[in-house]
Amino acid sequence: MTQDKAQEPLSLDRALASFTEQWSPRIVTAVNDYDVRIAKVEGEHVWHAHDHTDEFFLVLDGELHIALREPSGERTVVLPKGAVFTVPRGTEHKPCAPVPTALLLFEPTGTLSVGDRHDEVPAHVDATTGHALT
């Protein structure tokens, strides 16, 4: 169901209903050299950083907390439904969803979901460059 250049509208609700795996993004389309990914998340991800790219989050449903390690110290941003946030490249961060949450992400094609540097990846986190939407 991944879209190609001959586009047809895609229902994000339908796309999200097509899978159940948590922390396992699906690629719904591409914009230039970027993947547009959706993901279902709940619980904690892993501390990680993307050395060469920013990471864009849009909360479609639920609530996402992102812990950040910045030069001034650690802080957490809270993103309710409809909120957007960009984690700057090189910033260590750890997403956490206290409730079932749906996300839309923009990342360069081939970007690993656990970044270039990360803590040990727990079994519930899929280290992937995104899966095709089926």
Side-chain angles (χ1 to χ4, degrees):
M1 193 178 339
T2 300
Q3 295 202 321
D4 57 24
K5 294 298 179 187
Q7 299 258 342
E8 291 296 326
L10 174 73
S11 163
L12 290 180
D13 288 337
R14 229 178 83 218
L16 284 161
S18 73
F19 66 97
T20 59
E21 296 83 7
Q22 300 285 318
W23 301 107
S24 186
R26 299 305 195 265
I27 301 167
V28 294
T29 192
V31 178
N32 297 316
D33 297 331
Y34 279 73
D35 288 339
V36 179
R37 302 174 184 179
I38 56 172
K40 292 180 177 181
V41 300
E42 187 174 11
E44 294 188 356
H45 193 43
V46 61
W47 277 106
H48 67 284
H50 301 276
D51 291 332
H52 306 288
T53 185
D54 301 335
E55 187 171 18
F56 172 88
F57 295 86
L58 165 61
V59 177
L60 300 170
D61 194 29
E63 180 177 279
L64 186 69
H65 299 195
I66 305 175
L68 302 161
R69 290 180 176 154
E70 300 174 313
S72 59
E74 285 191 20
R75 71 179 175 117
T76 299
V77 295
V78 176
L79 286 69
K81 179 180 178 178
V84 300
F85 186 77
T86 300
V87 175
R89 72 187 69 201
T91 302
E92 286 185 276
H93 59 288
K94 181 180 182 178
C96 175
V99 297
T101 298
L103 304 174
L104 185 135
L105 309 142
F106 287 108
E107 297 181 301
T109 299
T111 298
L112 193 59
S113 61
V114 293
D116 302 304
R117 297 177 281 120
H118 54 79
D119 286 347
E120 185 175 336
V121 179
H124 74 278
V125 172
D126 183 14
T128 180
T129 57
H131 299 285
L133 191 61
T134 56

